Amino acid sequence: MLIYKKAKDFISYLHKNRSLSKSIGFVPTMGALHAGHTSLIKKAKLENDISICSIFINPSQFNQKTDFEKYPITTDKDIEILCSVNCDVLYLPSVEDIYPNGWESNSKIDIGYLATKWEGKFRPGHFDGVVQIVNLFLELIQPNKLYLGQKDFQQCAVIKKLINIQKYPIVVDICETIREADGLAMSSRNARLNSADRQVALCLYNTLCFIKNNFQVKSNETLVEEAKTFFIGNNHVKLEYICIVDRDSLEELSSTKENAVALVVAWIGEVRLIDNMLLN
Ligand code: AMP
């Protein structure tokens, strides 16, 4: 696997391969890789001439300094994992390379309301940072296909909107959420859960299954109210939001059952976990 840390070397590699008409599949990550990430990389590898993974913990998308500081860094292990799935290229830039003049200086792309609802409301500025870094990477790499995980449902919607606004000729592939055997969605943040909290964290998946299993027999409003009870009675759990929304607009669905997805976010101890489930 080739590893590029500097944009200059990476650009000449990209130029060479573009001139040879090689197709590029790109998987942006923040590292601490797990089977969720490798599922995307394997797909990128299978469907393109070149698979590129980036690892960059983007400071501009963290609205809490402690979350950024505590984000797990496992670069050596990540490189091993990427080699084991035959990833072709790792782009591993430093913060200074990406933002030589600081990240506040970059101009913003306005994604509209999709960036201010749900995650955008609870993590102000988060999607500005996501849009900033993804746009930068897409301009640089110009992939044919971009692979994203459904686990970050709203992020997928925001990035699709960005691609639409910028008119990039990029196909977006939203890949299924990979889960642990008991259902917990794989996440780099799971590494920060102690063993008791790891058990407690299952309440996100259990709630989503409850909603899905009862989706046709109860109203959306009742389901959301009943789902909230899964988060009561344990002071290590704090529900941030749970909702049933339209998959495209992310508007809350009061009565409609079409095109629905349930979104949930909860704090387990000091770790913020996110999950979702398509309901039909
Ligand atoms: P992250 O490193 O958390 O920024 O994630 C990088 C990419 O991997 C994003 O597109 C995520 O949605 C995706 N991803 C993270 N966890 C999972 C998972 N459990 N299953 C599938 N994709 C995932």
Side-chain angles (χ1 to χ4, degrees), residues 28-30 34 36-37 40 71 148-149 151-152 176-178 186:
T29 81
M30 297 203 296
H34 50 68
H37 297 114
L40 308 186
Y71 203 86
L148 304 171
K151 187 185 148 270
D152 297 282
E176 67 166 331
T177 301
I178 305 297
M186 290 193 181

Side-chain angles (χ1 to χ4, degrees), residues 120-220:
K121 191 167 145 210
F122 285 93
R123 303 184 67 188
H126 167 63
F127 285 125
D128 290 336
V130 169
V131 165
Q132 179 180 38
I133 190 64
V134 172
N135 188 54
L136 218 135
F137 282 165
L138 296 184
E139 272 184 344
L140 174 74
I141 297 170
Q142 296 171 33
N144 301 74
K145 256 185 124 170
L146 175 68
Y147 296 83
L148 304 171
Q150 187 205 307
K151 187 185 148 270
D152 297 282
F153 194 87
Q154 190 172 0
Q155 174 168 280
C156 293
V158 165
I159 294 174
K160 280 200 286 189
K161 178 86 182 173
L162 164 73
I163 288 173
N164 201 271
I165 290 172
Q166 300 290 82
K167 299 189 172 58
Y168 292 139
I170 298 172
V171 175
V172 180
D173 190 346
I174 313 283
C175 306
E176 67 166 331
T177 301
I178 305 297
R179 299 179 179 280
E180 301 287 355
D182 60 6
L184 179 70
M186 290 193 181
S187 164
S188 306
R189 288 187 173 87
N190 293 352
R192 289 177 52 206
L193 296 168
N194 63 34
S195 62
D197 285 349
R198 166 66 185 76
Q199 274 310 107
V200 173
L202 260 187
C203 62
L204 282 92
Y205 178 66
N206 291 339
T207 312
L208 292 171
C209 290
F210 164 78
I211 293 180
K212 183 160 183 165
N213 293 338
N214 293 282
F215 192 55
Q216 295 307 336
V217 291
K218 295 189 181 195
S219 74
N220 296 355

